[in-house]
Amino acid sequence: MQIDAKFDFNQFYSGKVNDLKPNTQKSWRSVKIFLISYNGFMENKLKINGGKKLFGSVTVEGAKNAILPILAGVVLCDGEITLENCVDISDVRCMREILSTMNICTHADGSTLYINTKEIKNEKITHELTQKVRASIFMLGALLARFRSANIAFPGGCKIGARPIDIHLKAFKALGVKIVEKHGYIYCNGQDLKAGTIVFEFPSVGATESLMMCACLTEGTTRLYGVAKEPEIVCLQDFLNKMGAKISGAGTDCIEIEGVKSLHGGTFEVISDRIVAGTYLLAVATCGGDVTIEKVVPKHNDALLSFLRQTACQIDILNDKIRLRADERLLSIDKIQTLPYPFFPTDLQPQMMTLQSVSEGVCTMAENIFENRFALVPELDKMGANIVVKTRTAVIYGVPKLYGADVSASDLRAGAALVIAGMKAEGYTTISNVHYIDRGYEKIEEKYLSLGADIKRI
Ligand code: EPZ
């Protein structure tokens, strides 16, 4: 039975239940719970009939991991901000929800997001909101900069590791912020916030971005060393500078922030999503075919492209387009390890694992960034893969074929990797927990459908 996803249960039975006798009320409520869970369950799956090659072209959307810190950065800006090349994914919707609790209005029109911060209020950010999205942590640095105080629950995110925030908090304290962690909340007093020099113990992407924002409105010059160099950090620097900040060095070993009095509004175009681009490249490498991905920055995927060139697929780069052709079964890559940018990104590790699982040979893959990012392995095993995990290393023995199965997404990128496996496999694959995939990919089934895959949301 397919329930129309727009069916409004509350409308359907509101008012009626209270008119019924107590026993009947109880059974009505259990019907409601079943219907909602059935409907939610029904919407949250993808069904794929695999074995089809991919052909055509696809345009890559704005970068999730650039938009999310920028949506915290708007707290620093007083006025109207227009973000172009934005993307409608659940993580962005969660950040917009957080902004709305602070009286910041947002309105999406296609890929353009309009933001108005004129009525901003510094409100506590509750557990219910921060649990939905890891990027909520970026609000700390932004609120400290703008209001010199912040009160936010510990953030959530995908279960790929403990995801501590100690590097963020240590750096805030080094700039004079007083922090109390109590009952799952972080209370920050930034009255004594001052410029300073920070040397990170690890090039944390989030901590780098948090401190860039925190130092923006702090008098004096703050220098950050041991920083992450991801393109999304350069994008954040470009956004903040467009709004009046004085930041330099993003993408190098040292970022210098000269504090200014305030930031204003303006218009900014977000970079394209290199991880989504890499996902599509790995999809056509795995399934075979001939696909051109458009509106990308090829340089951002240099590490992936250099690995793919070892596998005998054909790659052509032309301005903001990358074309990949794969006719036969590809060769395994002997060794792959994930490292901070510009090396091979952890966010493409699961998708690469799917390719290696059907390549010819053996691949040893080391995951150096997150301690629990091999949750894909048991799901690929169900499909006939042959992978042995030893702590943070996976040895992938390529098999000629995968077989359709019922599998479950455990996190965003493992889910994206299962979609590729399902499109490659012989027979039908059903993927549950698709809400994880929707966190970072806009209408993923429509994109693959346009390339010839047999895939639908059920
Ligand atoms: C960002 O997460 C990205 N998320 C992640 O993308 C990405 O995988 C990660 O950077 C690494 O590139 C966003 O930008 C929203 P980190 P972040 O701080 O900032 C440890 C995706 O799929 N660490 O660079 O959380 C941490 O546990 C997501 O799009 C601390 O120990 O990553 C991890 O092992 C997944 N203490 C390592 O550092 C801290 O205070 C890298 O984390 C912070 C991090």
Side-chain angles (χ1 to χ4, degrees):
M1 170 176 77
Q2 172 66 35
I3 297 174
D4 173 4
K6 297 192 183 31
F7 187 78
D8 182 339
F9 298 100
N10 297 313
Q11 184 64 36
F12 170 65
Y13 67 81
S14 66
K16 288 183 188 152
V17 177
N18 299 329
D19 304 343
L20 300 170
K21 293 193 197 67
N23 285 348
T24 329
Q25 278 190 31
K26 237 168 97 193
S27 51
W28 252 114
R29 285 206 172 88
S30 49
V31 165
K32 170 202 164 185
I33 289 163
F34 166 73
L35 285 172
I36 286 184
S37 55
Y38 181 83
N39 188 59
F41 176 76
M42 285 305 288
E43 258 188 336
N44 200 13
K45 285 189 166 187
L46 288 174
K47 183 159 190 168
I48 305 168
N49 179 15
K52 314 245 177 328
K53 293 193 173 186
L54 303 177
F55 295 94
S57 63
V58 64
T59 302
V60 174
E61 57 237 37
K64 165 179 89 80
N65 290 350
I67 295 163
L68 295 176
I70 286 174
L71 286 178
V74 304
V75 166
L76 301 172
C77 309
D78 183 19
E80 293 177 344
I81 299 107
T82 302
L83 274 192
E84 293 171 343
N85 200 29
C86 207
V87 64
D88 182 24
I89 52 177
S90 57
D91 271 13
V92 168
R93 289 197 290 275
C94 288
M95 282 299 275
R96 290 175 58 190
E97 200 182 335
I98 291 174
L99 294 178
S100 69
T101 64
M102 304 165 67
N103 256 7
I104 295 175
C105 307
T106 63
H107 165 68
D109 179 5
S111 62
T112 302
L113 188 61
Y114 299 95
I115 301 155
N116 186 326
T117 66
K118 287 185 180 128
E119 308 296 326
I120 186 172
K121 278 197 316 182
N122 184 8
E123 297 287 352
K124 175 165 99 167
I125 303 176
T126 63
H127 174 83
E128 183 222 347
L129 288 168
T130 61
Q131 274 316 295
K132 293 180 185 173
V133 62
R134 162 88 185 169
S136 52
I137 186 61
F138 295 133
M139 299 305 286
L140 257 190
L143 290 168
L144 278 168
R146 181 81 189 260
F147 298 105
R148 296 294 191 268
S149 78
N151 177 5
I152 170 173
F154 271 89
C158 282
K159 306 287 172 277
I160 54 178
R163 314 297 297 271
I165 56 170
D166 55 318
I167 300 176
H168 299 242
L169 301 184
K170 263 182 238 168
F172 288 138
K173 288 176 185 166
L175 296 186
V177 179
K178 293 182 183 56
I179 296 175
V180 173
E181 297 168 42
K182 206 169 158 192
H183 306 318
Y185 278 79
I186 311 161
Y187 301 82
C188 295
N189 176 340
Q191 292 313 319
D192 301 332
L193 182 58
K194 60 190 181 313
T197 296
I198 305 278
V199 182
F200 288 118
E201 61 200 71
F202 178 85
S204 157
V205 171
T208 303
E209 292 164 335
S210 288
L211 273 292
M212 283 166 72
M213 290 189 270
C214 181
C216 252
L217 303 179
T218 305
E219 194 182 350
T221 301
T222 296
R223 290 182 184 83
L224 308 177
Y225 295 94
V227 290
K229 303 173 185 165
E230 275 68 3
E232 293 76 26
I233 293 173
V234 178
C235 187
L236 178 63
Q237 170 184 276
D238 295 346
F239 166 75
L240 293 169
N241 286 344
K242 186 89 186 279
M243 304 301 148
K246 285 186 182 158
I247 307 174
S248 57
T252 72
D253 290 319
C254 172
I255 296 177
E256 195 169 275
I257 305 109
E258 196 184 322
V260 295
K261 285 254 176 294
S262 63
L263 298 191
H264 49 70
T267 299
F268 182 77
E269 180 171 354
V270 179
I271 56 170
S272 77
D273 195 316
R274 63 191 167 97
I275 303 300
V276 170
T279 303
Y280 294 151
L281 289 169
L282 286 160
V284 63
T286 306
C287 301
D290 180 351
V291 169
T292 299
I293 55 167
E294 302 181 347
K295 231 182 146 200
V296 295
V297 181
K299 174 177 173 16
H300 291 168
N301 273 311
D302 277 350
L304 170 65
L305 293 170
S306 66
F307 275 128
L308 287 176
R309 286 191 181 97
Q310 299 172 34
T311 65
C313 60
Q314 291 105 311
I315 294 170
D316 300 298
I317 294 175
L318 185 65
N319 303 327
D320 67 345
K321 294 179 179 60
I322 304 174
R323 179 182 178 189
L324 190 146
R325 279 168 287 174
D327 303 322
E328 71 286 334
R329 186 181 178 196
L330 298 181
L331 303 172
S332 293
I333 298 164
D334 294 344
K335 279 205 182 97
I336 300 173
Q337 62 171 334
T338 64
L339 286 166
Y341 191 88
F343 298 103
F344 184 72
T346 176
D347 291 348
L348 287 177
Q349 177 264 94
Q351 303 91 309
M352 175 63 89
M353 179 179 279
T354 296
L355 169 60
Q356 295 309 302
S357 74
V358 291
S359 295
E360 194 166 342
V362 182
C363 169
T364 301
M365 184 180 273
E367 170 54 63
N368 297 314
I369 306 293
F370 290 106
E371 69 272 21
N372 183 28
R373 202 164 204 176
F374 285 145
L376 172 67
V377 172
E379 302 306 302
L380 282 183
D381 282 355
K382 289 178 194 167
M383 301 177 76
N386 181 2
I387 304 169
V388 177
V389 173
K390 298 172 196 140
T391 57
R392 291 175 76 156
T393 298
V395 182
I396 307 156
Y397 301 89
V399 295
K401 198 175 267 193
L402 292 177
Y403 299 90
D406 292 342
V407 291
S408 178
S410 55
D411 59 75
L412 165 55
R413 305 301 176 185
L418 284 172
V419 175
I420 298 174
M423 293 191 294
K424 175 65 179 175
E426 184 183 280
Y428 284 92
T429 295
T430 306
I431 303 172
S432 53
N433 288 339
V434 174
H435 62 275
Y436 282 119
I437 304 173
D438 294 336
R439 295 185 61 162
Y441 294 85
E442 191 175 34
K443 304 189 184 89
I444 194 165
E445 73 275 16
E446 291 180 15
K447 299 281 174 61
Y448 284 132
L449 210 55
S450 72
L451 296 176
D454 180 350
I455 179 172
K456 64 181 176 187
R457 194 175 285 254
I458 58 172

